[in-house]
Amino acid sequence: MSVLEGEAWLRRIAADPAAGGHARSAAIENLATGPAWGGRDPVRIAGALRRGSDRGITIPGQLRLSPSQADSYARCPRQYALERRLKFSSGPTAHLTLGNLVHHVIHLTDDANDHPSVDDAISTLDEHWNGSDFGGPPWADAWYGRAREMLENLYEHRNPSHEVVASEREVALDAEGVRWSGSVDRIERRGSQLWIVDFKTSKSPARADEVARSIQLGFYVLAAQQDPDIARWGDITGAELWYPAVPQQRKAFATRQFNMAFLPEVRKTMAQLAADVEAERWDPVPGDACRHCTVRSSCPAVPEGQEAYIS
């Protein structure tokens, strides 16, 4: 039994009149001293509320989406509704903070240098590093090492024939009456071709067949193709995910390519996903990812989330 499952068990006893006074008092006492045995502070435990309607979250005619929101909805509509629409959050994690920092450093390095080097990237990292964001030493030292390793992998093996045309380029697309927008990490010129590159700081690359149909990369390609300023630079001929935290034997780091033949499928998927969000379909998708979900204490699909509601 996990700590959260134990907490849910205590809450059931505390709320059950048939459990008897002594058992209920003991359960309440244990809940009140949760931090002493690894449980949550009682002020963070949701009260018992009656289940309300799942509707009324999305305002008709005002829906705006991004590829990151699409990925979030595809993983679990319930988590998307709680985190993205209702803004439930326990705050940024160290992984998210590191990812944002590495992206920012790459953007600044590419913008400031025609031929960026490892030294340029590390200098920019040092300028913007704040160890307190990662809990101070020794934890911050470990996170700094991860950031530095990613930047070294990225810039040590940079192809000098690939020109960075744009960095953190904002793009947008209207699809079936819904406005989609996002930011392309990098657009590269490779000979006569333009390629879109998106950086991922995860140590676990997505499967190649998933990336081949990626909504995120597909959206970037579709939006870039209709952007007149980007069109003046040339035609978008490909898109990739780069994983600088995942070194490979024969190349600097892992990459995954989008299959341009799936662009029509991506457009259809975007339309269906937008329709599902507008229809407010928030069904949870239970699975292994639930163990790390930041809103599980408010989700009726898991034991501790069920305890937040009377029915």
Side-chain angles (χ1 to χ4, degrees), residues 139-160:
W139 301 279
D141 297 337
W143 287 107
Y144 175 85
R146 288 183 60 174
R148 184 179 179 115
E149 181 181 12
M150 281 189 274
L151 294 170
E152 288 174 345
N153 283 340
L154 193 63
Y155 286 98
E156 275 183 3
H157 302 278
R158 175 181 172 272
N159 190 325

Side-chain angles (χ1 to χ4, degrees), residues 16-279:
D16 183 8
H22 292 299
R24 296 179 73 191
S25 295
I28 292 171
E29 182 178 353
N30 277 281
L31 287 170
T33 58
W37 49 268
R40 289 178 294 172
D41 188 308
V43 300
R44 295 186 58 206
I45 298 176
L49 304 174
R50 294 194 179 277
R51 288 287 300 276
S53 172
D54 282 344
R55 304 187 66 80
I57 297 175
T58 300
I59 301 175
Q62 297 186 21
L63 182 62
R64 300 290 185 271
L65 290 173
S66 68
S68 64
Q69 289 187 46
D71 285 342
S72 175
Y73 184 88
R75 285 194 301 272
C76 179
R78 173 70 62 168
Q79 183 179 8
Y80 165 82
L82 293 173
E83 287 187 338
R84 297 300 189 103
R85 311 306 296 187
L86 296 178
K87 307 300 182 183
F88 284 25
S89 174
S90 57
T93 64
H95 289 89
L96 179 61
T97 301
L98 183 75
N100 290 338
L101 174 64
V102 170
H103 276 77
H104 187 54
V105 168
I106 293 171
H107 169 58
L108 294 177
T109 302
D110 287 351
D111 265 9
N113 303 275
D114 291 334
H115 302 285
S117 66
V118 173
D119 289 342
D120 294 326
I122 300 305
S123 176
T124 305
L125 172 64
D126 290 342
E127 182 181 348
H128 293 271
W129 179 259
N130 184 351
S132 63
D133 290 338
F134 300 90
W139 301 279
D141 297 337
W143 287 107
Y144 175 85
R146 288 183 60 174
R148 184 179 179 115
E149 181 181 12
M150 281 189 274
L151 294 170
E152 288 174 345
N153 283 340
L154 193 63
Y155 286 98
E156 275 183 3
H157 302 278
R158 175 181 172 272
N159 190 325
S161 67
H162 293 176
E163 176 192 358
V164 178
V165 176
S167 177
E168 295 291 344
R169 171 75 187 203
E170 297 293 329
V171 293
L173 177 70
D174 289 316
E176 303 296 330
V178 174
R179 184 71 167 177
W180 290 71
S181 60
S183 179
V184 177
D185 286 343
R186 179 186 284 179
I187 300 177
E188 286 191 343
R189 188 187 307 282
R190 303 177 184 177
S192 60
Q193 300 180 341
L194 287 183
W195 278 71
I196 285 172
V197 175
D198 190 74
F199 303 112
K200 298 296 183 185
T201 54
S202 169
K203 288 189 173 183
S204 302
R207 297 202 320 264
D209 61 320
E210 292 177 344
V211 178
R213 289 177 160 86
S214 166
I215 296 175
Q216 181 181 32
L217 292 180
F219 159 74
Y220 288 152
V221 172
L222 290 169
Q225 285 178 339
Q226 71 166 29
D227 187 307
D229 292 328
I230 296 176
R232 283 196 286 269
W233 300 332
D235 295 327
I236 300 293
T237 54
E240 291 180 325
L241 296 183
W242 286 9
Y243 292 86
V246 186
Q248 301 287 280
Q249 288 185 345
R250 296 187 178 181
K251 54 185 178 180
F253 46 82
T255 61
R256 298 287 187 270
Q257 279 194 16
F258 176 74
N259 187 331
M260 299 287 278
F262 289 120
L263 280 176
E265 178 182 308
V266 167
R267 188 179 284 275
K268 290 180 181 178
T269 301
M270 289 170 59
Q272 182 59 57
L273 188 145
D276 288 342
V277 172
E278 286 196 312

